[in-house]
Amino acid sequence: MIEKRDIVETKDMIEAHEFAGAHKVNTSFLSPLERRLAPVVIPRIPKWLETYHLTMLTLVWSFGILLFSFLAARNIRWLWMVSVMIAFQWFTDHYDGKVGKYRNTGLVRWGYYMDHLLDYFFLCSILIGYSFILPEGSRFQLLLMLALFAAYDFSTFLAFAATDKLKISHLKFGPTEFRLVLIIINGLLISFGTKHMIGGLKWVNAGAAVGLCFLIYGTQKKIWQLDVKAQEPGPVKTEPRLDKTYVAVKECAY
């Protein structure tokens, strides 16, 4: 019979086990700068703005990206507002979890799920927005780009399940660098038009495909090594010697 004490102890063990997804491994170029900014920015975020508010604001920024991209199809200068939405999304996405840890109000598992799900919505809004601006002939490249960048996410989450390490940067390129590249692309589109963007998409996809191959090879190699290491025989355990001879108890048959 399971006692109430056993249930409480089991619950305490589960709560004591820290969720691995709460800690991200980020080795991108701009991560040192972000770490220096965090102690300055986080205490200045208004108290009424909770961690889950920051997470859900990605929906607002994604809608803004779609709206301003649609307007940019008629006036390319609306892309400046798209860049503003991207900057806002970086801010709320970067600091939502950090605010929760700072105030000890974080929803760790909920935040892990919603944060990464909304990141996918954000990526879709970017590519759909570009489809409003670029000619129809470029839509295949945009679809291919969505598949490639989604594959990066899938690889990240599968590797996390296998290693308990959530690495969000690859080859020194992380979420912040990705958003910065988008803002630079928007500036180039405003300055030089969309003609050069069409041919550039092919090179971006080619580079993303090569990087994905390197990522998959390196990740599977590390997981392979973990499995091989787990199969290595450990120290031989010797059974304790009994002082008395063990006599099996006869079973009663009724």
Side-chain angles (χ1 to χ4, degrees):
M1 182 177 180
I2 301 176
E3 298 182 358
K4 183 178 180 180
R5 182 183 62 183
D6 297 330
I7 297 175
V8 173
E9 289 178 354
T10 303
K11 183 179 179 181
D12 292 340
M13 290 175 61
I14 295 173
E15 291 177 350
H17 179 68
E18 191 173 7
F19 178 51
H23 301 283
K24 300 176 182 178
V25 180
N26 187 357
T27 58
S28 64
F29 285 113
L30 296 176
S31 58
L33 177 61
E34 291 175 327
R35 295 188 186 99
R36 294 190 187 98
L37 287 175
V40 179
V41 175
I42 294 175
R44 290 171 170 78
I45 295 176
K47 297 289 185 180
W48 54 267
L49 200 57
E50 295 288 350
T51 176
Y52 51 87
H53 294 145
L54 295 172
T55 300
M56 296 304 295
L57 277 172
T58 291
L59 289 174
V60 178
W61 312 138
S62 298
F63 177 77
I65 288 170
L66 292 173
L67 174 62
F68 293 123
S69 297
F70 179 78
L71 296 175
R74 297 183 179 181
N75 186 345
I76 198 67
R77 294 188 180 277
W78 280 108
L79 280 180
W80 290 123
M81 288 304 301
V82 174
S83 295
V84 171
M85 295 295 102
I86 294 172
F88 284 165
Q89 199 276 335
W90 167 82
F91 182 87
T92 57
D93 181 64
H94 182 71
Y95 287 109
D96 56 355
K98 292 177 175 57
V99 167
K101 291 179 182 178
Y102 177 76
R103 300 176 183 173
N104 197 26
T105 58
L107 303 172
V108 181
R109 289 171 174 79
W110 180 90
Y112 170 82
Y113 174 77
M114 289 302 299
D115 185 41
H116 294 98
L117 179 64
L118 292 177
D119 282 344
Y120 178 71
F121 289 177
F122 168 73
L123 174 63
C124 290
S125 70
I126 291 289
L127 297 181
I128 294 172
Y130 281 145
S131 71
F132 295 152
I133 304 168
L134 300 176
E136 291 186 6
S138 63
R139 290 180 182 175
F140 171 76
Q141 294 296 330
L142 291 172
L143 181 62
L144 180 59
M145 184 177 292
L146 176 61
L148 288 170
F149 281 105
Y152 278 92
D153 283 343
F154 292 153
S155 176
T156 297
F157 299 137
L158 290 172
F160 169 62
T163 64
D164 279 341
K165 291 182 180 180
L166 183 59
K167 188 174 182 180
I168 62 171
S169 61
H170 308 289
L171 304 174
K172 293 292 183 178
F173 192 86
T176 303
E177 288 77 9
F178 173 68
R179 293 173 177 87
L180 183 60
V181 168
L182 292 175
I183 293 173
I184 293 173
I185 289 174
N186 288 343
L188 293 174
L189 287 173
I190 295 170
S191 301
F192 303 103
T194 61
K195 181 174 64 174
H196 301 287
M197 177 71 173
I198 300 171
L201 284 175
K202 298 178 181 179
W203 292 103
V204 171
N205 285 336
V210 172
L212 182 62
C213 291
F214 277 106
L215 172 63
I216 293 174
Y217 175 78
T219 303
Q220 64 85 26
K221 185 177 180 181
K222 290 179 182 178
I223 297 174
W224 180 292
Q225 291 171 349
L226 288 175
D227 281 339
V228 171
K229 187 176 180 180
Q231 293 175 359
E232 293 178 356
V236 179
K237 296 181 180 180
T238 57
E239 295 292 336
R241 189 173 180 179
L242 300 177
D243 295 332
K244 297 181 179 180
T245 305
Y246 174 74
V247 179
V249 179
K250 293 182 180 180
E251 296 183 359
C252 297
Y254 296 95

